[in-house]
């Protein structure tokens, strides 16, 4: 088992009567890409700011591991981020949703400035700047003023500034917000490269489907509560009550096929372009009925696959459950 680098222990955060984080507990392991997902207002950003000690919880604690302490002192290697702020600031880099660099400085000047905050030697700072300019594909723009950067370059510069002191942990809040699919893919590729160098990465994002192939584990936050922490596959297995059958065949008389299928194990059907999508509680039962029908109606199967719901599907389902819960509570009050 990989040693945790952060331990979040029974964290509660309240603003007067408003509960933002409700008894949150989990570990973040060294070297992993850890994702945090939740609807807007679910407490993701508050959790990230609590994790670094910027926001102090109403109760509970966040502990981080001192890497330099000896193994036989393992019981003593964790310290509170709120009591050891100067030490914890050296182990993480943070890139928030909004750019935090100086728009009237060039890319290189921004990196020099943020590096100076960590008292890096001139040689270490020079090496780190060159490494990051190349890693982030910003070398050809190093003398451009930050205010003249595109959205994708702004995000890359922000991440570079967060990495200037070579931290053990990189924390990213919505790193691909407002970026087009091509730029999002570029950022995800960079994140993978950074992680391969040994950096632990913690990120919050609304692009849930993309996190499936990126994160080793994901925490689902719902209404300030921790719903689950597990690998993407484990989460899909746990919450996917319904599976999808995707069928493409020729000539594709899908309405005729649907009319002959038993509805006992089918939740819904949809004809989407050249494909028939069947939502099934027990897909194996549906397939048992479906295959003879395809043969009977002389349908040539071009493609067929069965899969669980995506993280997006699960997220929307959980969010709808919450909306229904709010609606039902309002009805009881009225």
């Amino acid at each position: 088992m990989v040693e945790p680098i952060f331990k979040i222990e029974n964290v509660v955060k309240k603003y007067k009567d408003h509960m933002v984080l409700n008894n949150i507990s989990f570990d973040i392991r060294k070297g992993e890409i850890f994702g945090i997902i939740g609807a807007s207002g679910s407490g993701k950003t508050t959790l990230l700011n609590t994790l670094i000690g910027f926001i102090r919880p109403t109760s509970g604690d966040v502990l981080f591991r001192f890497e330099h302490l000896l193994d036989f002192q393992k019981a003593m290697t964790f310290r509170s981020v709120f009591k050891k702020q100067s030490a914890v600031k050296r182990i993480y880099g943070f890139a928030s949703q909004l750019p935090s660099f100086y728009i009237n400085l060039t890319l290189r000047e921004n990196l020099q400035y943020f590096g100076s905050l960590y008292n890096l030697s001139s040689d270490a700072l020079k090496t780190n700047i060159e490494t990051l300019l190349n890693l982030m594909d910003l070398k050809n723009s190093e003398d451009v003023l930050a205010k003249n950067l595109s959205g994708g370059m702004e995000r890359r510069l922000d991440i570079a500034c967060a990495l200037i002191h070579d931290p053990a942990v990189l924390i990213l809040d919505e790193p691909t917000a407002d970026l087009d699919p091509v730029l999002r893919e570029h950022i995800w590729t960079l994140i993978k490269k950074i992680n391969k160098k040994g950096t632990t990465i913690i990120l919050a994002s609304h692009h849930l489907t993309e996190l499936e192939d990126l994160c080793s584990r994901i925490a689902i936050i719902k209404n300030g509560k921790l719903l689950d922490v597990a690998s993407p596959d484990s989460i899909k297995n746990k919450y996917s009550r319904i599976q999808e059958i995707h069928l493409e065949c020729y000539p594709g008389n899908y309405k005729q096929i649907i009319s002959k299928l038993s509805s006992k194990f089918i939740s819904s059907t949809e004809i989407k372009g050249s494909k028939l999508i069947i939502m099934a509680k027990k897909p194996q039962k549906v397939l048992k009925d479906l295959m003879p029908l395809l043969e009977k109606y002389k349908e040539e199967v071009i493609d067929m696959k069965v899969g669980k719901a995506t993280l997006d599907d699960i997220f929307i389902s959980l969010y709808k459950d919450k909306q229904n819960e709010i609606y039902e509570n309002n009805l009881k009050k009225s």
Side-chain angles (χ1 to χ4, degrees):
M1 186 86 174
V2 179
E3 183 74 20
I5 196 166
F6 278 103
K7 290 184 177 183
I8 295 86
E9 297 186 340
N10 307 115
V11 167
V12 173
K13 182 60 183 177
K14 293 176 69 176
Y15 291 100
K16 294 185 178 180
D17 295 330
H18 179 50
M19 181 73 74
V20 181
L21 298 175
N22 190 349
N23 199 33
I24 302 287
S25 295
F26 61 89
D27 293 346
I28 295 172
R29 300 167 188 161
K30 181 180 178 181
E32 73 175 330
I33 301 180
F34 188 91
I36 299 172
I37 64 174
S40 179
S42 63
K44 299 189 304 298
T45 298
T46 300
L47 179 57
L48 291 183
N49 281 295
T50 304
L51 185 65
I52 62 175
F54 186 73
I55 293 177
R56 185 176 287 272
T58 306
S59 62
D61 204 352
V62 177
L63 308 176
F64 74 103
R65 184 169 183 249
F66 275 97
E67 288 291 323
H68 65 277
L69 294 184
L70 299 177
D71 287 342
F72 68 79
Q73 294 178 311
K74 192 167 287 186
M76 300 295 292
T77 58
F78 286 92
R79 298 288 189 273
S80 171
V81 300
F82 308 105
K83 295 177 180 177
K84 297 286 184 180
Q85 270 289 290
S86 60
V88 75
K89 284 178 180 178
R90 293 190 173 278
I91 73 164
Y92 77 82
F94 188 96
S96 63
Q97 293 185 44
L98 299 175
S100 56
F101 50 75
Y102 291 93
I103 62 172
N104 289 319
L105 296 180
T106 66
L107 277 68
R108 177 174 285 276
E109 288 169 343
N110 267 289
L111 292 172
Q112 287 172 334
Y113 171 73
F114 285 104
S116 70
L117 300 179
Y118 294 95
N119 297 318
L120 298 176
S121 69
S122 58
D123 286 344
L125 179 56
K126 183 178 179 180
T127 298
N128 289 359
I129 288 173
E130 292 302 321
T131 299
L132 288 168
L133 286 173
N134 287 304
L135 177 66
M136 298 295 169
D137 195 21
L138 295 172
K139 180 63 178 174
N140 293 335
S141 304
E142 62 178 300
D143 296 321
V144 175
L145 291 178
K147 65 182 178 182
N148 296 324
L149 297 178
S150 65
M153 293 177 75
E154 284 184 350
R155 203 60 49 88
R156 281 181 277 152
L157 174 59
D158 221 28
I159 295 173
C161 290
L163 289 170
I164 190 61
H165 57 301
D166 193 22
V169 181
L170 175 62
I171 301 172
L172 306 172
D173 193 1
E174 299 287 355
T176 60
D178 303 322
L179 298 183
D180 64 48
V182 174
L183 291 176
R184 286 208 307 268
E185 181 60 32
H186 194 176
I187 295 297
W188 295 134
T189 300
L190 285 173
I191 288 171
K192 289 177 184 177
K193 285 183 180 179
I194 295 164
N195 178 248
K196 283 183 179 179
K197 293 178 179 293
T199 305
T200 303
I201 296 177
I202 305 164
L203 60 90
S205 176
H206 282 307
H207 298 290
L208 309 184
T209 301
E210 293 171 329
L211 296 191
E212 290 188 46
D213 299 323
L214 188 73
C215 296
S216 53
R217 291 188 302 146
I218 290 174
I220 301 176
I221 306 293
K222 178 183 176 184
N223 196 34
K225 295 181 179 180
L226 180 66
L227 191 61
D228 213 334
V229 178
S231 69
D233 284 342
S234 295
I235 288 173
K236 287 192 288 183
N237 288 336
K238 184 172 182 178
Y239 295 99
S240 295
R241 303 182 186 93
I242 296 174
Q243 296 191 54
E244 298 179 354
I245 299 171
H246 288 243
L247 171 67
E248 184 176 4
C249 55
Y250 181 82
N253 295 315
Y254 298 134
K255 289 183 180 179
Q256 183 180 44
I257 295 169
I258 292 169
S259 68
K260 299 298 181 180
L261 281 172
S262 169
S263 60
K264 186 176 180 181
F265 301 110
I266 295 176
S267 299
S268 64
T269 60
E270 179 185 6
I271 299 172
K272 206 169 190 179
S274 62
K275 292 184 178 181
L276 170 62
I277 301 174
I278 303 170
M279 310 291 185
K281 299 173 185 175
K282 295 186 177 180
Q284 67 275 17
K285 299 285 187 181
V286 176
L287 288 171
K288 188 176 180 180
D289 294 337
L290 179 61
M291 298 311 293
L293 286 174
L294 295 176
E295 186 175 349
K296 177 181 177 179
Y297 295 122
K298 295 181 172 55
E299 291 280 354
E300 180 185 352
V301 177
I302 299 171
D303 188 30
M304 181 185 291
K305 60 183 178 181
V306 180
K308 292 183 174 64
T310 64
L311 281 180
D312 272 326
D313 295 329
I314 292 169
F315 180 76
I316 291 168
S317 174
L318 292 173
Y319 182 69
K320 284 182 178 178
D321 288 345
K322 179 60 188 172
Q323 291 296 88
N324 291 337
E325 180 186 324
I326 293 171
Y327 178 69
E328 289 170 5
N329 288 340
N330 288 337
L331 283 178
K332 290 177 183 177
K333 293 177 183 178
S334 59

